[in-house]
Amino acid sequence: EGKPYPWLGFEARRILFDFLDECQADADVLADVFAYDLSDPEIVRRLEAFGPRLRIVIDNSDKHGKPNSDESNAATRLVASAGAGNVARHHFSGLQHNKVVIARRRSANNAVPFAVATGSTNFSLGGLYIQNNNILLFRDADIAKLYADVFDAAFPKPTGFSGKSIAMKWFEKDLPNAGTYRFCFSPHKKASLSMNPLADAITGAEKSVFYAIAFRSAQTGPADKALDALDPKKLLVMGVANMPGKPKSNTLMVQLPGRGPVPFGPAALTKDLPEPFKAEWTGGGGIHMH
């Protein structure tokens, strides 16, 4: 493996790769996967190694659906290793934008979910090594079952998904020494199901709001309005947003304590940085914060 990649991928790479390797090494573990981008060769090779113990839904929206896309090429390879019945292509009502690995352990009569890796990290070089992403690994049977229920409702086709119970409410789980987690799975019949509680949390904040948002300019709902209404002089407001809107649509927006949003591109960092950071690549015009 190339030396830069373990450093660039840091915890996300280690968590994801170790989890895949752990699951693949146990012959009683089955893997159910949602993939949006699927272009990282190290990930595709690991998925191939599961053979027929893998089921996967791969996005086929827009460029992903083209015959020679990385996703289509990966699908062809996985059909050969897992079987055609274990590889599905669809995009819900717009995008199959999940990036999830669900682990189930086979028992006498069924397969019981016991862990899930989830988050914003796409299974691509950009997702692991360039963008600012997150990945969470839950070794909790209840949370794993939530994601397994999502997969069962979406594989091989998502027919009627938004009308099923898994897509119609919030789910909550307290984990010892790790806080409370709330889950809401889209697409829903109404976006307000997921957006209104977020807007209420922002509006009701008494001390601070921290945020990280991709495609900020594409948002028009209640959470967007709640963010715009924040007064950084009354609350501690800190955040980063990608593509905050015209005329700064290709920049990041950084909001520092006591200041309003300030858009700037990565190249702006080179002015006063010392070497060796000054000479580093500034990243071009792609997506840096996801």
Side-chain angles (χ1 to χ4, degrees):
E1 295 181 355
K3 290 182 179 179
Y5 294 106
W7 179 80
L8 287 168
F10 205 40
E11 297 108 325
R13 183 180 191 272
R14 174 178 52 80
I15 291 169
L16 179 60
F17 284 17
D18 286 357
F19 183 53
L20 287 171
D21 291 344
E22 171 194 336
C23 292
Q24 192 278 321
D26 187 335
D28 288 328
V29 172
L30 310 177
D32 290 333
V33 177
F34 284 113
Y36 179 63
D37 291 340
L38 187 54
S39 56
D40 186 322
E42 292 183 284
I43 294 177
V44 176
R45 286 198 298 268
R46 281 171 165 82
L47 295 178
E48 281 181 305
F50 280 90
R53 291 190 287 131
L54 171 77
R55 295 188 300 173
I56 188 168
V57 177
I58 306 171
D59 179 65
N60 65 351
S61 65
D62 195 28
K63 294 179 181 179
H64 286 174
K66 294 184 180 298
N68 291 320
S69 69
D70 289 329
E71 290 66 35
S72 294
N73 291 336
T76 298
R77 289 172 57 176
L78 294 174
V79 164
S81 61
N86 286 346
V87 180
R89 304 291 306 274
H90 69 69
H91 51 267
F92 288 102
S93 58
L95 300 176
Q96 192 307 103
H97 203 233
N98 301 295
K99 318 94 166 62
V100 175
V101 178
I102 306 151
R104 310 191 200 214
R105 181 163 281 111
R106 284 191 284 214
S107 61
N109 300 316
N110 58 7
V112 180
F114 66 91
V116 58
T118 184
S120 68
T121 303
N122 276 309
F123 302 151
S124 63
L125 296 176
L128 271 174
Y129 304 124
I130 296 176
Q131 297 165 352
N132 181 350
N133 271 309
N134 64 65
I135 189 165
L136 298 169
L137 175 57
F138 293 100
R139 296 183 181 274
D140 179 90
D142 294 332
I143 294 175
K145 186 177 186 306
L146 289 177
Y147 282 84
D149 289 346
V150 174
F151 190 90
D152 291 342
F155 184 90
K157 295 182 179 180
T159 305
F161 182 90
S162 64
K164 296 180 179 179
S165 59
I166 193 67
M168 297 182 71
K169 60 182 180 179
W170 283 81
F171 302 86
E172 186 172 298
K173 181 67 187 286
D174 292 319
L175 295 179
N177 302 315
T180 301
Y181 294 83
R182 301 183 71 209
F183 303 86
C184 191
F185 301 100
S186 63
H188 322 293
K189 287 186 176 297
K190 294 183 178 180
S192 57
L193 174 66
S194 56
M195 289 293 101
N196 281 353
L198 178 58
D200 291 343
I202 296 170
T203 302
E206 297 179 355
K207 294 182 178 180
S208 60
V209 173
F210 298 158
Y211 64 84
I213 302 172
F215 308 105
R216 177 76 172 88
S217 61
Q219 299 179 3
T220 58
D224 170 68
K225 293 180 174 61
L227 281 171
D228 286 342
L230 285 174
D231 186 346
K233 295 180 180 179
K234 295 181 179 179
L235 294 173
L236 173 60
V237 182
M238 297 179 64
V240 292
N242 175 71
M243 294 188 176
K246 296 179 180 179
K248 305 290 185 180
S249 59
N250 291 322
T251 69
L252 292 174
M253 179 181 74
V254 176
Q255 185 160 350
L256 300 175
R259 299 171 58 188
V262 181
F264 67 92
L269 295 174
T270 63
K271 180 181 177 183
D272 298 315
L273 283 179
E275 294 292 359
F277 306 103
K278 186 179 180 68
E280 283 292 315
W281 180 50
T282 56
I287 304 300
H288 303 97
M289 205 294 301
H290 192 242

